[in-house]
Amino acid sequence: MKCIRKASVKHVLTSTKRAELSRSFEEEKVQLDREIKQLEFQYHHAQKKTSSQMGPSLKEKFDHEINRRQEKQQSIQFKLDQLNHLAEGSELFFEMADVLIDVEIGAKWVSAENELTIVIKDGVVHEIRESENRDT
């Protein structure tokens, strides 16, 4: 019989993973910068087309969207800074995943309270471990 169980997926920080994450963060920052410039362009274009009465609310909407993207950029820059301070071999949480486990008569039952962790190193499963939940 098969059962579905939640497992946390962590990646070991290696030089390859650090470079991959840095590149990904930089790409996100560039994309957000493009979006900000596009929003500024759209605002100026819309401002010319609408009446002066719509100006303040229109500006607020565009300012809100621009600020959201600027905050995301700051968050990404913070993550980049933190990434550069992490030691090689650190484990980074990436996601929760559903895993399929085999359950057979006579097999040891593993409590759902015990956390299942899958550790990935350079794209390869490096370790699967189960630890008792110490929160209680």
Side-chain angles (χ1 to χ4, degrees):
M1 180 173 158
K2 302 213 184 262
C3 292
I4 297 175
R5 185 156 174 215
K6 294 269 186 213
S8 63
V9 179
K10 297 181 178 182
H11 286 262
V12 175
L13 185 62
T14 61
S15 58
T16 305
K17 190 65 178 174
R18 185 185 310 267
E20 177 185 319
L21 288 170
S22 291
R23 187 175 51 252
S24 173
F25 289 149
E26 290 295 340
E27 288 172 0
E28 279 185 73
K29 282 176 53 178
V30 168
Q31 177 61 33
L32 287 166
D33 194 46
R34 282 188 200 122
E35 290 176 16
I36 289 169
K37 288 178 181 170
Q38 180 66 28
L39 283 167
E40 289 169 347
F41 174 79
Q42 287 175 343
Y43 169 67
H44 291 297
H45 188 70
Q47 190 178 25
K48 291 176 185 176
K49 286 188 174 183
T50 60
S51 67
S52 59
Q53 295 169 346
M54 288 292 292
S57 65
L58 183 67
K59 181 165 177 41
E60 287 175 13
K61 289 177 185 176
F62 276 96
D63 283 347
H64 175 73
E65 289 302 316
I66 289 170
N67 288 337
R68 266 192 37 217
R69 283 160 179 81
Q70 288 172 337
E71 287 172 6
K72 283 183 186 180
Q73 279 183 320
Q74 290 172 351
S75 173
I76 291 168
Q77 184 59 51
F78 177 77
K79 288 177 185 179
L80 262 171
D81 294 342
Q82 294 300 308
L83 179 64
N84 292 328
H85 286 67
L86 285 174
E88 295 269 322
S90 299
E91 291 182 3
L92 308 173
F93 174 81
F94 266 75
E95 64 185 345
M96 291 298 289
D98 291 329
V99 293
L100 201 57
I101 59 171
D102 285 320
V103 178
E104 297 175 358
I105 295 174
K108 183 180 173 195
W109 177 252
V110 182
S111 173
E113 292 177 1
N114 295 350
E115 183 179 331
L116 183 63
T117 304
I118 300 169
V119 180
I120 310 293
K121 185 174 183 179
D122 291 331
V124 177
V125 175
H126 180 68
E127 181 182 0
I128 299 173
R129 63 178 176 240
E130 194 168 342
S131 60
E132 291 187 28
N133 189 352
R134 306 260 186 229
D135 293 341
T136 54

